[in-house]
Amino acid sequence: MHVTMEEAQKAIEAARAKAVSLDTQMCIAVVDSGGNLKAFHRMDDAWVGSIDIAQKKAKTALFFGMKTGQIGQLSQPGGPLFGIEHSNDGLITFPGGIPIVDKDGVMSGAIGVSGSTVENDHTVAEAGASAIGATELPDHPWRT
Amino acid sequence: MHVTMEEAQKAIEAARAKAVSLDTQMCIAVVDSGGNLKAFHRMDDAWVGSIDIAQKKAKTALFFGMKTGQIGQLSQPGGPLFGIEHSNDGLITFPGGIPIVDKDGVMSGAIGVSGSTVENDHTVAEAGASAIGATELPDHPWRT
Amino acid sequence: MHVTMEEAQKAIEAARAKAVSLDTQMCIAVVDSGGNLKAFHRMDDAWVGSIDIAQKKAKTALFFGMKTGQIGQLSQPGGPLFGIEHSNDGLITFPGGIPIVDKDGVMSGAIGVSGSTVENDHTVAEAGASAIGATELPDHPWRT
Amino acid sequence: MHVTMEEAQKAIEAARAKAVSLDTQMCIAVVDSGGNLKAFHRMDDAWVGSIDIAQKKAKTALFFGMKTGQIGQLSQPGGPLFGIEHSNDGLITFPGGIPIVDKDGVMSGAIGVSGSTVENDHTVAEAGASAIGATELPDHPWRT
């Protein structure tokens, strides 16, 4: 049910390879299905401020089973989830956090990446998550 | 008077029944008139991130004697309560939190629900609160 | 792997029955195998301060797979784990928190009880945990 | 100089190999010379409560340039540093955290290990730190 250490390392290696190809320095975090940290990797010269953001992105994606950027669209001023980032000791709701879904459609964990543009963060997270599973739950009440 | 445990359980059972009828998985929290947790129920497969949100919705509704969605309307950018969610260790100001008002018009507690769309969260909270009382205070300074 | 809501309710009902038989008013919390709150029940007239303690006892037992009183013995001044309560946003290391172990010897969650003497808290927690599983892991590195 | 990611991984691999040889499941954290998380590795079946303790041990060792067990001896009741664990958002002052010192005698980071007895935690941390440097600073004001 939980992502294993072997899977977490495979995800981090894939994310790191993508970060290198983009010439970026990233923090990469993997959490298990309880939202608890499984593995963390800070590339040399990555921002110190990204340590917490990468972990919060992974947790945010896991907490609600969605990519963080999708939650960010729902939590803008006037949106249905405006202010959700004040829960759970602080969420990060811009791109870079992605659920990891196993072959049975069950969320086994999530990955969070921070250190460059949100587009690059998202691309690197996708590379990591895709190396070990799917990145979308089969169904989701917030998805239109 | 505080909501009793018997009432809290009745509210949770009614909320849970509504959640099942909507095919949703919810976290349901009841707080007393001091804003302190009375009962909590996490349905199987409910989001981990909803544990905190359900409790914060219940507290938010209790703290100000209003449905959380009404506070959310007042706390948008430019609104009179903009930023209120930074108080009280974090509020949640979108729908799903509802006061519980006894037959004398006194607030005895509140319920908070999280786990689906805000419309479903609100519907389930209404089912819970209505099972044991009213959901609006007789008068309120913020109500226009 | 995780304790189910049906199991959590069964544990809470057994704990409550024991609390009633002891003429005590208890807060009873159940967490899943990730340490996340599954269910909570505050009996009428239980102390407000026990809300947090019951939850921290359940988390402490789950975090280390031991009864909280055993951790308390190891964390006395001069003991090997002195000061461990400063981790994980605060632990409670006196009796009343007990792991819940399934038939395969795997920890599926934990229960925490607070509201009376530590002896009564422990007795009520045992009644709750025993209703749905074992209360000791098959092996443990801290057990002598 | 900060510990590099290559060094951090080498330390974690050495620590992990030692943990496997001891038949233990550990959380292993490496921080840089600023006390900021560089790498984290949670072996399958390691305690959830050890995630935070491993990181706090690494930070504690780094914050004061000493093995955590030595700080623990100074912080007992009546000792000169009694209560130091209340600083820095919580320290852990029992064995398992060790400074990493480069060939010039400069502290480049620290490692923290949690998951078994404090003796095993310390042994695993030593294996990790020793793989990439020394574990004692040349001089230290607290060393008698």
Side-chain angles (χ1 to χ4, degrees), chain C:
Chain C
M1 176 108 74
H2 287 312
V3 64
T4 64
M5 193 61 227
E6 189 181 338
E7 292 171 324
Q9 281 184 309
K10 199 170 164 187
I12 285 178
E13 280 158 26
R16 181 187 168 90
K18 177 62 75 176
V20 168
S21 77
L22 294 170
D23 197 23
T24 59
Q25 295 76 39
M26 297 292 199
C27 289
I28 308 161
V30 175
V31 298
D32 68 16
S33 63
N36 296 311
L37 190 63
K38 184 74 183 176
F40 178 82
H41 181 110
R42 175 156 55 111
M43 293 171 68
D44 293 337
D45 300 321
W47 295 326
V48 172
S50 288
I51 299 171
D52 184 54
I53 292 181
Q55 294 182 60
K56 279 193 166 61
K57 282 183 180 175
K59 286 183 183 180
T60 299
L62 185 286
F63 283 159
F64 305 105
M66 286 185 91
K67 298 179 184 183
T68 51
Q70 295 173 291
I71 299 173
Q73 291 176 348
L74 296 166
S75 62
Q76 295 296 314
L81 304 182
F82 178 54
I84 194 172
E85 62 273 19
H86 292 269
S87 70
N88 292 288
D89 291 326
L91 303 179
I92 293 295
T93 57
F94 47 80
I98 296 183
I100 299 170
V101 179
D102 71 17
K103 62 183 177 356
D104 300 319
V106 174
M107 182 164 54
S108 62
I111 189 168
V113 173
S114 175
S116 177
T117 62
V118 293
E119 290 77 13
N120 281 340
D121 293 354
H122 179 80
T123 299
V124 170
E126 279 278 358
S130 300
I132 60 171
T135 63
E136 298 273 3
L137 287 170
D139 298 297
H140 201 287
W142 288 352
R143 204 152 49 211
T144 56

Side-chain angles (χ1 to χ4, degrees), chain C residues 63 78 80 86 88 140-142, chain D residues 47 49 52 76 85-86 94 116-117:
Chain C
F63 283 159
H86 292 269
N88 292 288
H140 201 287
W142 288 352
Chain D
W47 294 326
D52 185 56
Q76 293 295 316
E85 63 272 18
H86 291 271
F94 46 82
S116 179
T117 62

